[in-house]
Amino acid sequence: PIMDGYTASKEIKKIKPNQKIFAFTAHAFEEDKNKCLAAGMDDFLTKPINVAQFHHCIQKHMDHIINNFNSEPLEQFLD
């Protein structure tokens, strides 16, 4: 790979700061989660993926988008 997920997240956030990025990793330690969040990822899920946790994660971020839809520029949601 050209870059790891941490670097990729930082680069994506430079270009599209409102883009949601979720970490899907087998690394389940708290320091792994903190490293992902520090790199700009918006949430953290461990493998194997628990469907209920994944659904909750998506819903949580969609709720934020919906609740802030009228207060933030529309263009950020359209890319």
PDB file of all heavy atoms in Angstrom, residues 33-72:
ATOM      1  N   LYS A  33      -7.950   2.621  19.319  1.00  0.00           N
ATOM      2  CA  LYS A  33      -9.094   3.495  19.079  1.00  0.00           C
ATOM      3  C   LYS A  33      -8.664   4.957  19.129  1.00  0.00           C
ATOM      4  O   LYS A  33      -9.008   5.747  18.240  1.00  0.00           O
ATOM      5  CB  LYS A  33     -10.188   3.236  20.117  1.00  0.00           C
ATOM      6  CG  LYS A  33     -11.391   4.130  19.962  1.00  0.00           C
ATOM      7  CD  LYS A  33     -12.449   3.818  21.001  1.00  0.00           C
ATOM      8  CE  LYS A  33     -13.646   4.731  20.844  1.00  0.00           C
ATOM      9  NZ  LYS A  33     -14.713   4.408  21.802  1.00  0.00           N
ATOM     10  N   ASN A  34      -7.897   5.328  20.144  1.00  0.00           N
ATOM     11  CA  ASN A  34      -7.437   6.708  20.285  1.00  0.00           C
ATOM     12  C   ASN A  34      -6.580   7.150  19.103  1.00  0.00           C
ATOM     13  O   ASN A  34      -6.684   8.286  18.639  1.00  0.00           O
ATOM     14  CB  ASN A  34      -6.675   6.887  21.599  1.00  0.00           C
ATOM     15  CG  ASN A  34      -7.579   6.742  22.799  1.00  0.00           C
ATOM     16  OD1 ASN A  34      -8.784   6.930  22.714  1.00  0.00           O
ATOM     17  ND2 ASN A  34      -6.995   6.388  23.932  1.00  0.00           N
ATOM     18  N   LYS A  35      -5.741   6.244  18.607  1.00  0.00           N
ATOM     19  CA  LYS A  35      -4.888   6.553  17.459  1.00  0.00           C
ATOM     20  C   LYS A  35      -5.743   6.803  16.213  1.00  0.00           C
ATOM     21  O   LYS A  35      -5.474   7.730  15.446  1.00  0.00           O
ATOM     22  CB  LYS A  35      -3.898   5.412  17.217  1.00  0.00           C
ATOM     23  CG  LYS A  35      -2.836   5.728  16.203  1.00  0.00           C
ATOM     24  CD  LYS A  35      -1.801   4.606  16.132  1.00  0.00           C
ATOM     25  CE  LYS A  35      -0.742   4.901  15.084  1.00  0.00           C
ATOM     26  NZ  LYS A  35       0.246   3.816  14.999  1.00  0.00           N
ATOM     27  N   CYS A  36      -6.777   6.003  16.022  1.00  0.00           N
ATOM     28  CA  CYS A  36      -7.677   6.182  14.877  1.00  0.00           C
ATOM     29  C   CYS A  36      -8.416   7.512  14.966  1.00  0.00           C
ATOM     30  O   CYS A  36      -8.488   8.266  13.988  1.00  0.00           O
ATOM     31  CB  CYS A  36      -8.691   5.041  14.805  1.00  0.00           C
ATOM     32  SG  CYS A  36      -7.982   3.458  14.295  1.00  0.00           S
ATOM     33  N   LEU A  37      -8.944   7.815  16.127  1.00  0.00           N
ATOM     34  CA  LEU A  37      -9.681   9.065  16.307  1.00  0.00           C
ATOM     35  C   LEU A  37      -8.749  10.269  16.156  1.00  0.00           C
ATOM     36  O   LEU A  37      -9.136  11.277  15.566  1.00  0.00           O
ATOM     37  CB  LEU A  37     -10.392   9.068  17.654  1.00  0.00           C
ATOM     38  CG  LEU A  37     -11.461   7.974  17.831  1.00  0.00           C
ATOM     39  CD1 LEU A  37     -12.029   8.013  19.246  1.00  0.00           C
ATOM     40  CD2 LEU A  37     -12.563   8.086  16.795  1.00  0.00           C
ATOM     41  N   ALA A  38      -7.534  10.146  16.637  1.00  0.00           N
ATOM     42  CA  ALA A  38      -6.553  11.236  16.507  1.00  0.00           C
ATOM     43  C   ALA A  38      -6.169  11.473  15.049  1.00  0.00           C
ATOM     44  O   ALA A  38      -5.824  12.595  14.672  1.00  0.00           O
ATOM     45  CB  ALA A  38      -5.312  10.928  17.340  1.00  0.00           C
ATOM     46  N   ALA A  39      -6.267  10.427  14.231  1.00  0.00           N
ATOM     47  CA  ALA A  39      -5.945  10.552  12.805  1.00  0.00           C
ATOM     48  C   ALA A  39      -7.095  11.162  12.015  1.00  0.00           C
ATOM     49  O   ALA A  39      -6.972  11.382  10.810  1.00  0.00           O
ATOM     50  CB  ALA A  39      -5.579   9.187  12.239  1.00  0.00           C
ATOM     51  N   GLY A  40      -8.215  11.419  12.683  1.00  0.00           N
ATOM     52  CA  GLY A  40      -9.338  12.057  12.008  1.00  0.00           C
ATOM     53  C   GLY A  40     -10.497  11.133  11.692  1.00  0.00           C
ATOM     54  O   GLY A  40     -11.489  11.554  11.104  1.00  0.00           O
ATOM     55  N   MET A  41     -10.378   9.870  12.065  1.00  0.00           N
ATOM     56  CA  MET A  41     -11.493   8.954  11.837  1.00  0.00           C
ATOM     57  C   MET A  41     -12.636   9.347  12.768  1.00  0.00           C
ATOM     58  O   MET A  41     -12.419   9.833  13.864  1.00  0.00           O
ATOM     59  CB  MET A  41     -11.059   7.514  12.066  1.00  0.00           C
ATOM     60  CG  MET A  41      -9.993   7.071  11.091  1.00  0.00           C
ATOM     61  SD  MET A  41      -9.437   5.394  11.407  1.00  0.00           S
ATOM     62  CE  MET A  41      -7.848   5.420  10.572  1.00  0.00           C
ATOM     63  N   ASP A  42     -13.851   9.126  12.308  1.00  0.00           N
ATOM     64  CA  ASP A  42     -15.019   9.571  13.066  1.00  0.00           C
ATOM     65  C   ASP A  42     -15.561   8.523  14.026  1.00  0.00           C
ATOM     66  O   ASP A  42     -16.272   8.853  14.969  1.00  0.00           O
ATOM     67  CB  ASP A  42     -16.128   9.996  12.100  1.00  0.00           C
ATOM     68  CG  ASP A  42     -15.692  11.172  11.273  1.00  0.00           C
ATOM     69  OD1 ASP A  42     -15.662  12.285  11.829  1.00  0.00           O
ATOM     70  OD2 ASP A  42     -15.350  10.991  10.089  1.00  0.00           O
ATOM     71  N   ASP A  43     -15.235   7.274  13.768  1.00  0.00           N
ATOM     72  CA  ASP A  43     -15.700   6.213  14.655  1.00  0.00           C
ATOM     73  C   ASP A  43     -14.811   4.991  14.497  1.00  0.00           C
ATOM     74  O   ASP A  43     -13.979   4.940  13.586  1.00  0.00           O
ATOM     75  CB  ASP A  43     -17.164   5.853  14.381  1.00  0.00           C
ATOM     76  CG  ASP A  43     -17.943   5.627  15.672  1.00  0.00           C
ATOM     77  OD1 ASP A  43     -17.385   5.017  16.606  1.00  0.00           O
ATOM     78  OD2 ASP A  43     -19.099   6.070  15.744  1.00  0.00           O
ATOM     79  N   PHE A  44     -15.005   4.030  15.370  1.00  0.00           N
ATOM     80  CA  PHE A  44     -14.092   2.894  15.488  1.00  0.00           C
ATOM     81  C   PHE A  44     -14.904   1.631  15.750  1.00  0.00           C
ATOM     82  O   PHE A  44     -15.687   1.581  16.695  1.00  0.00           O
ATOM     83  CB  PHE A  44     -13.153   3.181  16.679  1.00  0.00           C
ATOM     84  CG  PHE A  44     -12.162   2.113  16.975  1.00  0.00           C
ATOM     85  CD1 PHE A  44     -10.925   2.116  16.364  1.00  0.00           C
ATOM     86  CD2 PHE A  44     -12.452   1.114  17.900  1.00  0.00           C
ATOM     87  CE1 PHE A  44      -9.987   1.143  16.663  1.00  0.00           C
ATOM     88  CE2 PHE A  44     -11.521   0.139  18.201  1.00  0.00           C
ATOM     89  CZ  PHE A  44     -10.278   0.156  17.582  1.00  0.00           C
ATOM     90  N   LEU A  45     -14.744   0.627  14.884  1.00  0.00           N
ATOM     91  CA  LEU A  45     -15.396  -0.669  15.062  1.00  0.00           C
ATOM     92  C   LEU A  45     -14.354  -1.764  14.931  1.00  0.00           C
ATOM     93  O   LEU A  45     -13.447  -1.677  14.097  1.00  0.00           O
ATOM     94  CB  LEU A  45     -16.489  -0.876  14.008  1.00  0.00           C
ATOM     95  CG  LEU A  45     -17.663   0.088  14.082  1.00  0.00           C
ATOM     96  CD1 LEU A  45     -18.469   0.035  12.797  1.00  0.00           C
ATOM     97  CD2 LEU A  45     -18.545  -0.250  15.266  1.00  0.00           C
ATOM     98  N   THR A  46     -14.502  -2.791  15.749  1.00  0.00           N
ATOM     99  CA  THR A  46     -13.543  -3.893  15.688  1.00  0.00           C
ATOM    100  C   THR A  46     -14.110  -5.054  14.888  1.00  0.00           C
ATOM    101  O   THR A  46     -15.316  -5.236  14.771  1.00  0.00           O
ATOM    102  CB  THR A  46     -13.174  -4.383  17.097  1.00  0.00           C
ATOM    103  OG1 THR A  46     -14.360  -4.763  17.786  1.00  0.00           O
ATOM    104  CG2 THR A  46     -12.456  -3.295  17.881  1.00  0.00           C
ATOM    105  N   LYS A  47     -13.194  -5.820  14.313  1.00  0.00           N
ATOM    106  CA  LYS A  47     -13.558  -7.029  13.571  1.00  0.00           C
ATOM    107  C   LYS A  47     -13.581  -8.198  14.538  1.00  0.00           C
ATOM    108  O   LYS A  47     -12.810  -8.197  15.498  1.00  0.00           O
ATOM    109  CB  LYS A  47     -12.536  -7.301  12.466  1.00  0.00           C
ATOM    110  CG  LYS A  47     -12.505  -6.241  11.399  1.00  0.00           C
ATOM    111  CD  LYS A  47     -11.413  -6.571  10.398  1.00  0.00           C
ATOM    112  CE  LYS A  47     -11.256  -5.472   9.377  1.00  0.00           C
ATOM    113  NZ  LYS A  47     -10.139  -5.739   8.466  1.00  0.00           N
ATOM    114  N   PRO A  48     -14.383  -9.197  14.334  1.00  0.00           N
ATOM    115  CA  PRO A  48     -15.381  -9.272  13.268  1.00  0.00           C
ATOM    116  C   PRO A  48     -16.490  -8.264  13.533  1.00  0.00           C
ATOM    117  O   PRO A  48     -16.814  -7.947  14.677  1.00  0.00           O
ATOM    118  CB  PRO A  48     -15.913 -10.699  13.339  1.00  0.00           C
ATOM    119  CG  PRO A  48     -15.641 -11.143  14.731  1.00  0.00           C
ATOM    120  CD  PRO A  48     -14.422 -10.387  15.193  1.00  0.00           C
ATOM    121  N   ILE A  49     -17.043  -7.735  12.458  1.00  0.00           N
ATOM    122  CA  ILE A  49     -18.056  -6.690  12.553  1.00  0.00           C
ATOM    123  C   ILE A  49     -19.331  -7.239  13.177  1.00  0.00           C
ATOM    124  O   ILE A  49     -19.845  -8.267  12.765  1.00  0.00           O
ATOM    125  CB  ILE A  49     -18.363  -6.099  11.158  1.00  0.00           C
ATOM    126  CG1 ILE A  49     -17.109  -5.467  10.557  1.00  0.00           C
ATOM    127  CG2 ILE A  49     -19.506  -5.086  11.235  1.00  0.00           C
ATOM    128  CD1 ILE A  49     -16.527  -4.323  11.351  1.00  0.00           C
ATOM    129  N   ASN A  50     -19.815  -6.531  14.181  1.00  0.00           N
ATOM    130  CA  ASN A  50     -21.102  -6.822  14.798  1.00  0.00           C
ATOM    131  C   ASN A  50     -22.122  -5.947  14.067  1.00  0.00           C
ATOM    132  O   ASN A  50     -22.029  -4.717  14.088  1.00  0.00           O
ATOM    133  CB  ASN A  50     -21.039  -6.481  16.287  1.00  0.00           C
ATOM    134  CG  ASN A  50     -22.354  -6.640  16.991  1.00  0.00           C
ATOM    135  OD1 ASN A  50     -23.334  -5.992  16.637  1.00  0.00           O
ATOM    136  ND2 ASN A  50     -22.359  -7.477  18.011  1.00  0.00           N
ATOM    137  N   VAL A  51     -23.087  -6.583  13.411  1.00  0.00           N
ATOM    138  CA  VAL A  51     -24.042  -5.845  12.580  1.00  0.00           C
ATOM    139  C   VAL A  51     -24.809  -4.800  13.388  1.00  0.00           C
ATOM    140  O   VAL A  51     -25.025  -3.676  12.917  1.00  0.00           O
ATOM    141  CB  VAL A  51     -25.010  -6.818  11.867  1.00  0.00           C
ATOM    142  CG1 VAL A  51     -26.077  -6.062  11.096  1.00  0.00           C
ATOM    143  CG2 VAL A  51     -24.235  -7.743  10.947  1.00  0.00           C
ATOM    144  N   ALA A  52     -25.199  -5.129  14.598  1.00  0.00           N
ATOM    145  CA  ALA A  52     -25.939  -4.172  15.426  1.00  0.00           C
ATOM    146  C   ALA A  52     -25.073  -2.959  15.759  1.00  0.00           C
ATOM    147  O   ALA A  52     -25.550  -1.816  15.717  1.00  0.00           O
ATOM    148  CB  ALA A  52     -26.435  -4.848  16.698  1.00  0.00           C
ATOM    149  N   GLN A  53     -23.799  -3.175  16.072  1.00  0.00           N
ATOM    150  CA  GLN A  53     -22.897  -2.058  16.366  1.00  0.00           C
ATOM    151  C   GLN A  53     -22.657  -1.204  15.124  1.00  0.00           C
ATOM    152  O   GLN A  53     -22.604   0.020  15.199  1.00  0.00           O
ATOM    153  CB  GLN A  53     -21.564  -2.566  16.905  1.00  0.00           C
ATOM    154  CG  GLN A  53     -21.662  -3.101  18.314  1.00  0.00           C
ATOM    155  CD  GLN A  53     -20.336  -3.678  18.789  1.00  0.00           C
ATOM    156  OE1 GLN A  53     -19.497  -4.091  17.996  1.00  0.00           O
ATOM    157  NE2 GLN A  53     -20.162  -3.714  20.103  1.00  0.00           N
ATOM    158  N   PHE A  54     -22.530  -1.871  13.969  1.00  0.00           N
ATOM    159  CA  PHE A  54     -22.334  -1.146  12.719  1.00  0.00           C
ATOM    160  C   PHE A  54     -23.560  -0.278  12.418  1.00  0.00           C
ATOM    161  O   PHE A  54     -23.433   0.898  12.077  1.00  0.00           O
ATOM    162  CB  PHE A  54     -22.067  -2.133  11.584  1.00  0.00           C
ATOM    163  CG  PHE A  54     -21.871  -1.478  10.247  1.00  0.00           C
ATOM    164  CD1 PHE A  54     -20.824  -0.592  10.032  1.00  0.00           C
ATOM    165  CD2 PHE A  54     -22.722  -1.757   9.199  1.00  0.00           C
ATOM    166  CE1 PHE A  54     -20.640   0.010   8.797  1.00  0.00           C
ATOM    167  CE2 PHE A  54     -22.547  -1.167   7.963  1.00  0.00           C
ATOM    168  CZ  PHE A  54     -21.508  -0.283   7.761  1.00  0.00           C
ATOM    169  N   HIS A  55     -24.735  -0.843  12.587  1.00  0.00           N
ATOM    170  CA  HIS A  55     -25.970  -0.089  12.355  1.00  0.00           C
ATOM    171  C   HIS A  55     -26.049   1.113  13.299  1.00  0.00           C
ATOM    172  O   HIS A  55     -26.404   2.220  12.892  1.00  0.00           O
ATOM    173  CB  HIS A  55     -27.189  -1.001  12.533  1.00  0.00           C
ATOM    174  CG  HIS A  55     -28.481  -0.309  12.289  1.00  0.00           C
ATOM    175  ND1 HIS A  55     -29.246   0.227  13.307  1.00  0.00           N
ATOM    176  CD2 HIS A  55     -29.136  -0.029  11.131  1.00  0.00           C
ATOM    177  CE1 HIS A  55     -30.310   0.793  12.787  1.00  0.00           C
ATOM    178  NE2 HIS A  55     -30.281   0.649  11.476  1.00  0.00           N
ATOM    179  N   HIS A  56     -25.721   0.907  14.560  1.00  0.00           N
ATOM    180  CA  HIS A  56     -25.738   1.997  15.543  1.00  0.00           C
ATOM    181  C   HIS A  56     -24.752   3.103  15.134  1.00  0.00           C
ATOM    182  O   HIS A  56     -25.068   4.295  15.235  1.00  0.00           O
ATOM    183  CB  HIS A  56     -25.395   1.463  16.933  1.00  0.00           C
ATOM    184  CG  HIS A  56     -25.263   2.534  17.962  1.00  0.00           C
ATOM    185  ND1 HIS A  56     -26.346   3.204  18.489  1.00  0.00           N
ATOM    186  CD2 HIS A  56     -24.166   3.078  18.536  1.00  0.00           C
ATOM    187  CE1 HIS A  56     -25.913   4.109  19.356  1.00  0.00           C
ATOM    188  NE2 HIS A  56     -24.599   4.048  19.400  1.00  0.00           N
ATOM    189  N   CYS A  57     -23.591   2.708  14.684  1.00  0.00           N
ATOM    190  CA  CYS A  57     -22.566   3.663  14.256  1.00  0.00           C
ATOM    191  C   CYS A  57     -23.073   4.517  13.095  1.00  0.00           C
ATOM    192  O   CYS A  57     -22.977   5.743  13.122  1.00  0.00           O
ATOM    193  CB  CYS A  57     -21.308   2.894  13.858  1.00  0.00           C
ATOM    194  SG  CYS A  57     -19.964   3.916  13.250  1.00  0.00           S
ATOM    195  N   ILE A  58     -23.640   3.873  12.091  1.00  0.00           N
ATOM    196  CA  ILE A  58     -24.173   4.590  10.934  1.00  0.00           C
ATOM    197  C   ILE A  58     -25.302   5.521  11.373  1.00  0.00           C
ATOM    198  O   ILE A  58     -25.354   6.695  10.983  1.00  0.00           O
ATOM    199  CB  ILE A  58     -24.680   3.600   9.865  1.00  0.00           C
ATOM    200  CG1 ILE A  58     -23.526   2.752   9.325  1.00  0.00           C
ATOM    201  CG2 ILE A  58     -25.423   4.338   8.748  1.00  0.00           C
ATOM    202  CD1 ILE A  58     -22.491   3.510   8.552  1.00  0.00           C
ATOM    203  N   GLN A  59     -26.206   5.005  12.191  1.00  0.00           N
ATOM    204  CA  GLN A  59     -27.352   5.800  12.640  1.00  0.00           C
ATOM    205  C   GLN A  59     -26.897   7.024  13.432  1.00  0.00           C
ATOM    206  O   GLN A  59     -27.422   8.121  13.247  1.00  0.00           O
ATOM    207  CB  GLN A  59     -28.295   4.951  13.496  1.00  0.00           C
ATOM    208  CG  GLN A  59     -29.591   5.652  13.835  1.00  0.00           C
ATOM    209  CD  GLN A  59     -30.419   5.928  12.598  1.00  0.00           C
ATOM    210  OE1 GLN A  59     -30.658   5.035  11.797  1.00  0.00           O
ATOM    211  NE2 GLN A  59     -30.844   7.160  12.428  1.00  0.00           N
ATOM    212  N   LYS A  60     -25.916   6.845  14.305  1.00  0.00           N
ATOM    213  CA  LYS A  60     -25.400   7.950  15.115  1.00  0.00           C
ATOM    214  C   LYS A  60     -24.880   9.083  14.230  1.00  0.00           C
ATOM    215  O   LYS A  60     -25.191  10.258  14.460  1.00  0.00           O
ATOM    216  CB  LYS A  60     -24.285   7.439  16.029  1.00  0.00           C
ATOM    217  CG  LYS A  60     -23.601   8.496  16.853  1.00  0.00           C
ATOM    218  CD  LYS A  60     -22.613   7.906  17.844  1.00  0.00           C
ATOM    219  CE  LYS A  60     -21.439   7.254  17.155  1.00  0.00           C
ATOM    220  NZ  LYS A  60     -20.396   6.827  18.097  1.00  0.00           N
ATOM    221  N   HIS A  61     -24.143   8.724  13.200  1.00  0.00           N
ATOM    222  CA  HIS A  61     -23.580   9.748  12.327  1.00  0.00           C
ATOM    223  C   HIS A  61     -24.633  10.336  11.393  1.00  0.00           C
ATOM    224  O   HIS A  61     -24.588  11.522  11.075  1.00  0.00           O
ATOM    225  CB  HIS A  61     -22.368   9.206  11.571  1.00  0.00           C
ATOM    226  CG  HIS A  61     -21.214   8.973  12.498  1.00  0.00           C
ATOM    227  ND1 HIS A  61     -20.397   9.993  12.927  1.00  0.00           N
ATOM    228  CD2 HIS A  61     -20.780   7.859  13.119  1.00  0.00           C
ATOM    229  CE1 HIS A  61     -19.497   9.511  13.768  1.00  0.00           C
ATOM    230  NE2 HIS A  61     -19.712   8.216  13.902  1.00  0.00           N
ATOM    231  N   MET A  62     -25.592   9.551  10.975  1.00  0.00           N
ATOM    232  CA  MET A  62     -26.685  10.071  10.157  1.00  0.00           C
ATOM    233  C   MET A  62     -27.546  11.026  10.977  1.00  0.00           C
ATOM    234  O   MET A  62     -27.977  12.059  10.471  1.00  0.00           O
ATOM    235  CB  MET A  62     -27.546   8.932   9.596  1.00  0.00           C
ATOM    236  CG  MET A  62     -26.871   8.144   8.497  1.00  0.00           C
ATOM    237  SD  MET A  62     -26.320   9.164   7.089  1.00  0.00           S
ATOM    238  CE  MET A  62     -27.860   9.864   6.538  1.00  0.00           C
ATOM    239  N   ASP A  63     -27.788  10.687  12.230  1.00  0.00           N
ATOM    240  CA  ASP A  63     -28.553  11.589  13.101  1.00  0.00           C
ATOM    241  C   ASP A  63     -27.863  12.938  13.215  1.00  0.00           C
ATOM    242  O   ASP A  63     -28.505  13.987  13.173  1.00  0.00           O
ATOM    243  CB  ASP A  63     -28.744  10.978  14.486  1.00  0.00           C
ATOM    244  CG  ASP A  63     -29.752   9.843  14.511  1.00  0.00           C
ATOM    245  OD1 ASP A  63     -30.497   9.675  13.524  1.00  0.00           O
ATOM    246  OD2 ASP A  63     -29.772   9.106  15.517  1.00  0.00           O
ATOM    247  N   HIS A  64     -26.541  12.921  13.348  1.00  0.00           N
ATOM    248  CA  HIS A  64     -25.783  14.174  13.437  1.00  0.00           C
ATOM    249  C   HIS A  64     -25.960  14.987  12.155  1.00  0.00           C
ATOM    250  O   HIS A  64     -26.191  16.196  12.201  1.00  0.00           O
ATOM    251  CB  HIS A  64     -24.301  13.896  13.682  1.00  0.00           C
ATOM    252  CG  HIS A  64     -23.454  15.120  13.567  1.00  0.00           C
ATOM    253  ND1 HIS A  64     -23.406  16.087  14.545  1.00  0.00           N
ATOM    254  CD2 HIS A  64     -22.660  15.566  12.571  1.00  0.00           C
ATOM    255  CE1 HIS A  64     -22.601  17.060  14.157  1.00  0.00           C
ATOM    256  NE2 HIS A  64     -22.136  16.772  12.964  1.00  0.00           N
ATOM    257  N   ILE A  65     -25.859  14.339  11.014  1.00  0.00           N
ATOM    258  CA  ILE A  65     -26.008  15.030   9.727  1.00  0.00           C
ATOM    259  C   ILE A  65     -27.410  15.618   9.608  1.00  0.00           C
ATOM    260  O   ILE A  65     -27.590  16.777   9.252  1.00  0.00           O
ATOM    261  CB  ILE A  65     -25.691  14.084   8.553  1.00  0.00           C
ATOM    262  CG1 ILE A  65     -24.189  13.764   8.537  1.00  0.00           C
ATOM    263  CG2 ILE A  65     -26.132  14.692   7.220  1.00  0.00           C
ATOM    264  CD1 ILE A  65     -23.798  12.652   7.596  1.00  0.00           C
ATOM    265  N   ILE A  66     -28.407  14.806   9.929  1.00  0.00           N
ATOM    266  CA  ILE A  66     -29.794  15.268   9.822  1.00  0.00           C
ATOM    267  C   ILE A  66     -30.063  16.416  10.786  1.00  0.00           C
ATOM    268  O   ILE A  66     -30.671  17.420  10.413  1.00  0.00           O
ATOM    269  CB  ILE A  66     -30.765  14.093  10.062  1.00  0.00           C
ATOM    270  CG1 ILE A  66     -30.674  13.115   8.881  1.00  0.00           C
ATOM    271  CG2 ILE A  66     -32.188  14.588  10.267  1.00  0.00           C
ATOM    272  CD1 ILE A  66     -31.323  11.773   9.135  1.00  0.00           C
ATOM    273  N   ASN A  67     -29.587  16.296  12.019  1.00  0.00           N
ATOM    274  CA  ASN A  67     -29.835  17.340  13.023  1.00  0.00           C
ATOM    275  C   ASN A  67     -29.127  18.647  12.691  1.00  0.00           C
ATOM    276  O   ASN A  67     -29.544  19.710  13.140  1.00  0.00           O
ATOM    277  CB  ASN A  67     -29.415  16.858  14.408  1.00  0.00           C
ATOM    278  CG  ASN A  67     -30.327  15.779  14.935  1.00  0.00           C
ATOM    279  OD1 ASN A  67     -31.492  15.692  14.542  1.00  0.00           O
ATOM    280  ND2 ASN A  67     -29.808  14.942  15.809  1.00  0.00           N
ATOM    281  N   ASN A  68     -28.037  18.564  11.931  1.00  0.00           N
ATOM    282  CA  ASN A  68     -27.274  19.765  11.589  1.00  0.00           C
ATOM    283  C   ASN A  68     -27.508  20.223  10.160  1.00  0.00           C
ATOM    284  O   ASN A  68     -26.870  21.165   9.702  1.00  0.00           O
ATOM    285  CB  ASN A  68     -25.784  19.523  11.830  1.00  0.00           C
ATOM    286  CG  ASN A  68     -25.481  19.398  13.302  1.00  0.00           C
ATOM    287  OD1 ASN A  68     -25.588  20.360  14.048  1.00  0.00           O
ATOM    288  ND2 ASN A  68     -25.148  18.207  13.732  1.00  0.00           N
ATOM    289  N   PHE A  69     -28.398  19.558   9.470  1.00  0.00           N
ATOM    290  CA  PHE A  69     -28.617  19.830   8.048  1.00  0.00           C
ATOM    291  C   PHE A  69     -28.977  21.286   7.786  1.00  0.00           C
ATOM    292  O   PHE A  69     -28.467  21.894   6.857  1.00  0.00           O
ATOM    293  CB  PHE A  69     -29.716  18.908   7.505  1.00  0.00           C
ATOM    294  CG  PHE A  69     -29.909  19.027   6.031  1.00  0.00           C
ATOM    295  CD1 PHE A  69     -28.983  18.466   5.164  1.00  0.00           C
ATOM    296  CD2 PHE A  69     -30.994  19.693   5.502  1.00  0.00           C
ATOM    297  CE1 PHE A  69     -29.146  18.559   3.793  1.00  0.00           C
ATOM    298  CE2 PHE A  69     -31.170  19.795   4.135  1.00  0.00           C
ATOM    299  CZ  PHE A  69     -30.243  19.225   3.280  1.00  0.00           C
ATOM    300  N   ASN A  70     -29.813  21.874   8.592  1.00  0.00           N
ATOM    301  CA  ASN A  70     -30.246  23.243   8.362  1.00  0.00           C
ATOM    302  C   ASN A  70     -29.229  24.284   8.813  1.00  0.00           C
ATOM    303  O   ASN A  70     -29.324  25.439   8.426  1.00  0.00           O
ATOM    304  CB  ASN A  70     -31.589  23.508   9.055  1.00  0.00           C
ATOM    305  CG  ASN A  70     -32.715  22.750   8.393  1.00  0.00           C
ATOM    306  OD1 ASN A  70     -32.718  22.578   7.185  1.00  0.00           O
ATOM    307  ND2 ASN A  70     -33.656  22.287   9.189  1.00  0.00           N
ATOM    308  N   SER A  71     -28.262  23.870   9.616  1.00  0.00           N
ATOM    309  CA  SER A  71     -27.302  24.844  10.130  1.00  0.00           C
ATOM    310  C   SER A  71     -25.954  24.781   9.421  1.00  0.00           C
ATOM    311  O   SER A  71     -25.092  25.602   9.673  1.00  0.00           O
ATOM    312  CB  SER A  71     -27.092  24.624  11.631  1.00  0.00           C
ATOM    313  OG  SER A  71     -26.520  23.361  11.860  1.00  0.00           O
ATOM    314  N   GLU A  72     -25.762  23.818   8.517  1.00  0.00           N
ATOM    315  CA  GLU A  72     -24.496  23.680   7.812  1.00  0.00           C
ATOM    316  C   GLU A  72     -24.735  23.784   6.310  1.00  0.00           C
ATOM    317  O   GLU A  72     -25.796  23.419   5.827  1.00  0.00           O
ATOM    318  CB  GLU A  72     -23.850  22.336   8.159  1.00  0.00           C
ATOM    319  CG  GLU A  72     -23.509  22.207   9.629  1.00  0.00           C
ATOM    320  CD  GLU A  72     -22.913  20.860   9.988  1.00  0.00           C
ATOM    321  OE1 GLU A  72     -22.535  20.106   9.093  1.00  0.00           O
ATOM    322  OE2 GLU A  72     -22.817  20.585  11.190  1.00  0.00           O
TER     323      GLU A  72
END
